[in-house]
Amino acid sequence: LEHVNELSTRQQMIATAERLFRRHGYHATSWRVLVEESGTPWGSIHHHFPGGKEELGVAAIELGSEQAAAFVAGSFARTETASAAVRLWFEKVAEALERSGWELGCPIATVALETVSSSPTLAQASERAFARTQGALVAELTAGGVEPDRARELATLIFSTFEGALILARVNRSREPLLLAGAQFESLVADALR
Amino acid sequence: LEHVNELSTRQQMIATAERLFRRHGYHATSWRVLVEESGTPWGSIHHHFPGGKEELGVAAIELGSEQAAAFVAGSFARTETASAAVRLWFEKVAEALERSGWELGCPIATVALETVSSSPTLAQASERAFARTQGALVAELTAGGVEPDRARELATLIFSTFEGALILARVNRSREPLLLAGAQFESLVADALR
Amino acid sequence: LEHVNELSTRQQMIATAERLFRRHGYHATSWRVLVEESGTPWGSIHHHFPGGKEELGVAAIELGSEQAAAFVAGSFARTETASAAVRLWFEKVAEALERSGWELGCPIATVALETVSSSPTLAQASERAFARTQGALVAELTAGGVEPDRARELATLIFSTFEGALILARVNRSREPLLLAGAQFESLVADALR
Amino acid sequence: LEHVNELSTRQQMIATAERLFRRHGYHATSWRVLVEESGTPWGSIHHHFPGGKEELGVAAIELGSEQAAAFVAGSFARTETASAAVRLWFEKVAEALERSGWELGCPIATVALETVSSSPTLAQASERAFARTQGALVAELTAGGVEPDRARELATLIFSTFEGALILARVNRSREPLLLAGAQFESLVADALR
DNA sequence: ACAAACGGGACCACCCGTTACT
DNA sequence: AGTAACGGGTGGTCCCGTTTGT
């Protein structure tokens, strides 16, 4: 029973951190706000994260990439063709973004940009996180019938656009960049399937 | 003469801020570091930026968007077709990024992501800055022969990809995402020119 | 007028620090207590001591050694022979210690012992401070007629005993160690004068 | 068997504490560092030291005074006259101090100075510890032929000098203060033996 | 005897904005 | 146009003691 609690405290901190990092970024998220939002105890911070805030950042980024990869997989699971899956993915993300009041962007990008030039640890975590998400996309495209080399190329392109469109959509408070990209890549992937 | 000096001090602060924001982001850049890096006087901060750090942020973002728009225009000026220009743009940015030790990313994106959900002033400045850069791209594409409506769509798509590829390139320390996108959009723009 | 105030704030902080370091040592003296005791503003700490607590420590140690050297000189000024001066010095220190409720020991020794193995900066400051005080004693002994080489030896011996007796007197809440040492060195110095 | 283990763990913690207190003092020595250095388990702290850090401090000081008293006795055991013993004592301590990289000073003085004005418990422990060491010296001098009253006086003087010279030697990274004092007291004790 | 987590609080560093004065 | 100091506040880290459960 306690084991559940222990897991829960650390996990709850990470989940809250992931949300706060998405919204306000790494530096603007303080431990104080984190414990207030998550309802977890101050005093256990150092116990659960002996590596300090950096360790929290790494954990949050990892959680974010897991969720992102799962989101990709979910879109492919719900559609018949890879091309439709890509479109659905972009559309669902656009919807979720709008529903959050344009607040919940990519859980990796903000922290990555803030820390890539100052914290090697977080920079590597960001790289791994992007690679994992992109890897999920490559796997799904290949499974969907795209030739492996082309799948890798396409995934890099699509994922780049995804990240950029997510930023533009958030700043412009508009789904358009994501929807446009979704439509464009639907046909591009369809071409690759022939 | 004095007016020149004042302008110069302010301008120097903004230029240094633009560089530091690109590298470390908004919150991780303090006035102290700024005056150390720029060699400008402490005491003039409030005089030149009565609006505080936010005003500095707005100015830096504006400077960044001017430079980005000029960079786009430069690529189109140096090539014959719009499709070649897009490719050149991505390639040149990739080169510049690598030359900076993968440190100098987009001057708008980092600050935008950090502040979009907390500072309306900076959020609006980011939106305007993205719009200006994207607008330059639309103008060039139209001037290059792309049909206006398609030019707007293409510009949104290309710019989205540009922003995302810039992030991935920086985090992965690789030009590939930018080069891949450049190549892809060269043919897409070429299609639009027919 | 303001110049006076400025001097006063930093100087007041140092004076209070010297007192607190004497009483409780370096690590047990916090900035919070310091500003409370001295009535100086929190916000100016970093302005007056950009080097942080270490810089405060160095300044306090320097002040302490100045006062100690002045105390030595004062004893020699008030007596006719060097031997009587040494005795008077030990006696006056013993009185002062008792009057302070056995709280105000050596302003250098505590900080020195706490930091000699961890802060080179403070270790050097301690060494300089001891050297200055001991140097004052050498100068006075020489001026009093002791042969220079013997004066240096005697000063080292007397100062060692002074520091140790101060500790024992404080811990035992007794003037005896200091008085005993004073009496012993009176005759030793008298021997050196023949 | 279990009893042996328990004793050993506690004893190991005390021994490590004694070393760390000598080097860095009481306040700069944390439980975390202690368990890391000693390799003893976290969870046993409260079991072995229900009185908290203060109890550890008392135990370390007691251990220190035992070792110091034994060191004194050892010097007297290895020499024929009390005067030679005193000199040997100072010389051996000077050697040991230098061998430790000028890090291992008196196991009592640092903690004593840090806590004498804030923790009555530790202050009393320090007083007892000094008294025990000094008492060993008195006993040896008396056994060596010094008249009891003079032995007490001499011991106070010598021990004062010992403590002070140990500080100066450590801060100056020089054996000189200890050697000088040893030589001086050799003749002083020799005088007392006549 | 040990382990894991809680829990509040304190540490020093540093932040940004403002004021008084040159 | 620039200086120096003020001023409150928060940053992340770490501390020591306690509790709960093996």
Side-chain angles (χ1 to χ4, degrees):
Chain A
L1 205 76
E2 213 191 37
H3 183 59
V4 172
N5 256 342
E6 169 205 351
L7 205 78
S8 172
T9 294
R10 198 189 133 100
Q11 222 66 13
Q12 208 173 330
M13 282 181 164
I14 295 170
T16 307
E18 192 258 4
R19 222 178 55 238
L20 291 170
F21 288 163
R22 282 223 260 183
R23 222 183 292 250
H24 302 298
Y26 182 76
H27 290 109
T29 300
S30 67
W31 284 108
R32 189 178 52 80
V33 171
L34 182 82
V35 298
E36 278 171 9
E37 289 274 320
S38 61
T40 46
W42 236 124
S44 309
I45 290 175
H46 193 55
H47 179 259
H48 290 296
F49 300 93
K53 199 180 177 185
E54 226 176 24
E55 188 177 341
L56 176 70
V58 169
I61 284 176
E62 281 173 2
L63 174 62
S65 74
E66 281 170 29
Q67 293 177 350
F71 205 99
V72 168
S75 297
F76 277 82
R78 246 180 254 113
T79 49
E80 295 198 349
T81 64
S83 52
V86 169
R87 178 179 208 145
L88 181 66
W89 173 36
F90 277 79
E91 285 174 356
K92 287 288 180 192
V93 167
E95 270 178 41
L97 177 61
E98 184 169 19
R99 255 202 320 273
S100 75
W102 311 103
E103 295 228 318
L104 295 180
C106 174
I108 310 170
T110 309
V111 178
L113 284 176
E114 283 184 273
T115 60
V116 66
S117 293
S118 49
S119 161
T121 304
L122 280 166
Q124 283 167 23
S126 301
E127 189 178 352
R128 280 196 312 267
F130 278 143
R132 162 185 293 204
T133 316
Q134 203 171 320
L137 185 56
V138 172
E140 294 291 349
L141 287 174
T142 311
V146 180
E147 192 265 329
D149 281 350
R150 180 62 182 153
R152 252 193 303 279
E153 266 187 27
L154 263 179
T156 299
L157 181 69
I158 293 173
F159 193 63
S160 294
T161 310
F162 174 75
E163 286 295 331
L166 201 45
I167 296 175
L168 290 182
R170 203 175 160 202
V171 170
N172 294 333
R173 306 175 80 84
S174 156
R175 287 186 291 178
E176 207 203 6
L178 282 163
L179 299 187
L180 222 71
Q184 180 68 44
F185 288 125
E186 181 175 32
S187 60
L188 214 63
V189 172
D191 286 351
L193 288 174
R194 267 175 232 126
Chain B
L1 207 73
E2 249 180 16
H3 182 59
V4 171
N5 254 343
E6 172 205 348
L7 205 77
S8 170
T9 294
R10 193 187 139 96
Q11 221 64 15
Q12 208 174 332
M13 282 180 163
I14 296 170
T16 305
E18 192 257 5
R19 219 179 56 238
L20 292 171
F21 287 163
R22 281 221 259 182
R23 223 182 290 247
H24 303 296
Y26 182 76
H27 289 109
T29 300
S30 67
W31 284 109
R32 189 176 56 78
V33 171
L34 182 80
V35 299
E36 275 172 12
E37 288 276 319
S38 61
T40 46
W42 250 115
S44 314
I45 290 174
H46 191 245
H47 178 260
H48 291 300
F49 301 93
K53 198 180 175 183
E54 229 176 23
E55 187 179 341
L56 176 69
V58 170
I61 284 175
E62 281 173 2
L63 173 61
S65 73
E66 281 170 29
Q67 292 177 351
F71 206 99
V72 169
S75 297
F76 278 83
R78 245 181 253 115
T79 49
E80 295 199 349
T81 64
S83 52
V86 169
R87 176 178 209 148
L88 181 66
W89 173 36
F90 277 79
E91 286 174 355
K92 287 289 181 192
V93 167
E95 273 178 38
L97 177 61
E98 184 170 19
R99 257 202 319 272
S100 75
W102 311 103
E103 295 228 318
L104 296 180
C106 175
I108 309 169
T110 310
V111 179
L113 284 176
E114 282 185 275
T115 60
V116 65
S117 292
S118 50
S119 161
T121 305
L122 280 166
Q124 284 167 23
S126 301
E127 188 178 355
R128 278 197 312 269
F130 278 143
R132 163 184 290 203
T133 315
Q134 203 171 322
L137 186 55
V138 173
E140 296 290 348
L141 288 174
T142 311
V146 180
E147 193 265 325
D149 280 351
R150 180 62 182 153
R152 250 191 306 279
E153 268 188 25
L154 263 180
T156 299
L157 179 69
I158 294 173
F159 193 63
S160 294
T161 311
F162 174 75
E163 287 294 332
L166 202 44
I167 296 175
L168 291 183
R170 201 175 162 203
V171 171
N172 293 333
R173 305 174 82 84
S174 155
R175 286 185 293 180
E176 207 204 5
L178 283 163
L179 298 186
L180 222 72
Q184 181 68 44
F185 288 125
E186 181 176 33
S187 61
L188 213 64
V189 172
D191 287 351
L193 287 174
R194 266 177 233 126
Chain C
L1 207 75
E2 213 192 37
H3 182 58
V4 172
N5 256 342
E6 167 206 350
L7 205 78
S8 172
T9 294
R10 198 188 133 98
Q11 221 66 11
Q12 208 174 331
M13 283 180 163
I14 296 171
T16 306
E18 194 258 2
R19 222 179 54 238
L20 293 170
F21 288 164
R22 282 221 260 182
R23 222 182 291 249
H24 303 296
Y26 182 76
H27 289 110
T29 300
S30 68
W31 284 108
R32 189 176 54 79
V33 171
L34 181 82
V35 299
E36 278 171 9
E37 290 274 321
S38 61
T40 47
W42 235 122
S44 308
I45 290 175
H46 194 249
H47 179 260
H48 291 296
F49 301 93
K53 199 181 177 183
E54 229 177 22
E55 188 178 342
L56 176 70
V58 170
I61 284 175
E62 282 172 1
L63 174 63
S65 73
E66 282 170 29
Q67 292 178 351
F71 206 98
V72 169
S75 296
F76 277 82
R78 245 181 254 115
T79 49
E80 294 197 352
T81 63
S83 51
V86 168
R87 178 181 206 144
L88 181 65
W89 173 36
F90 276 79
E91 286 174 357
K92 287 288 180 194
V93 167
E95 272 178 39
L97 177 62
E98 183 170 19
R99 255 203 320 275
S100 74
W102 311 103
E103 296 227 318
L104 295 181
C106 174
I108 309 170
T110 311
V111 179
L113 284 177
E114 282 185 275
T115 60
V116 66
S117 291
S118 50
S119 161
T121 304
L122 281 166
Q124 284 167 23
S126 301
E127 188 177 354
R128 280 197 312 268
F130 279 143
R132 161 183 293 203
T133 314
Q134 204 172 320
L137 186 55
V138 172
E140 296 290 349
L141 287 175
T142 311
V146 180
E147 194 265 327
D149 280 350
R150 179 63 181 152
R152 251 192 304 279
E153 268 186 26
L154 264 179
T156 299
L157 179 69
I158 294 174
F159 194 63
S160 293
T161 311
F162 175 74
E163 286 295 331
L166 202 43
I167 296 175
L168 290 183
R170 203 177 161 201
V171 170
N172 293 332
R173 305 173 82 83
S174 155
R175 284 186 293 179
E176 206 204 6
L178 283 163
L179 299 187
L180 223 71
Q184 179 69 45
F185 288 125
E186 182 177 32
S187 60
L188 213 63
V189 171
D191 287 350
L193 287 175
R194 268 177 230 127
Chain D
L1 208 75
E2 246 180 15
H3 183 58
V4 171
N5 255 342
E6 172 203 349
L7 205 77
S8 168
T9 294
R10 193 187 139 97
Q11 220 64 14
Q12 206 173 334
M13 282 180 164
I14 296 171
T16 306
E18 192 256 5
R19 219 178 58 237
L20 291 171
F21 288 164
R22 282 222 259 181
R23 221 182 292 249
H24 303 297
Y26 182 75
H27 290 109
T29 300
S30 66
W31 285 110
R32 190 177 54 80
V33 171
L34 181 80
V35 299
E36 277 172 11
E37 289 276 319
S38 60
T40 46
W42 249 117
S44 314
I45 290 175
H46 191 246
H47 178 259
H48 291 298
F49 300 93
K53 198 180 175 184
E54 227 175 25
E55 187 178 342
L56 176 69
V58 170
I61 284 175
E62 281 172 2
L63 174 62
S65 73
E66 281 169 31
Q67 292 178 350
F71 206 99
V72 169
S75 297
F76 278 82
R78 247 181 252 112
T79 49
E80 295 197 348
T81 64
S83 53
V86 169
R87 177 179 208 147
L88 181 66
W89 173 34
F90 276 80
E91 285 174 356
K92 286 291 181 192
V93 167
E95 271 177 40
L97 177 60
E98 184 170 19
R99 257 203 319 274
S100 75
W102 311 103
E103 297 227 319
L104 295 181
C106 174
I108 310 170
T110 310
V111 178
L113 285 176
E114 283 185 274
T115 60
V116 66
S117 293
S118 51
S119 160
T121 304
L122 281 166
Q124 284 166 25
S126 302
E127 189 178 353
R128 278 195 314 266
F130 278 144
R132 161 184 293 204
T133 315
Q134 204 171 321
L137 185 55
V138 172
E140 296 289 349
L141 287 174
T142 310
V146 180
E147 193 265 326
D149 282 349
R150 180 61 181 154
R152 250 193 304 280
E153 266 187 28
L154 264 180
T156 299
L157 179 68
I158 293 173
F159 193 63
S160 293
T161 311
F162 175 74
E163 285 295 330
L166 202 44
I167 296 176
L168 290 183
R170 200 176 163 202
V171 170
N172 293 331
R173 305 173 82 82
S174 156
R175 286 184 291 179
E176 206 203 6
L178 283 163
L179 298 187
L180 222 72
Q184 181 68 45
F185 288 125
E186 181 176 32
S187 59
L188 213 64
V189 172
D191 288 350
L193 287 174
R194 266 175 234 130

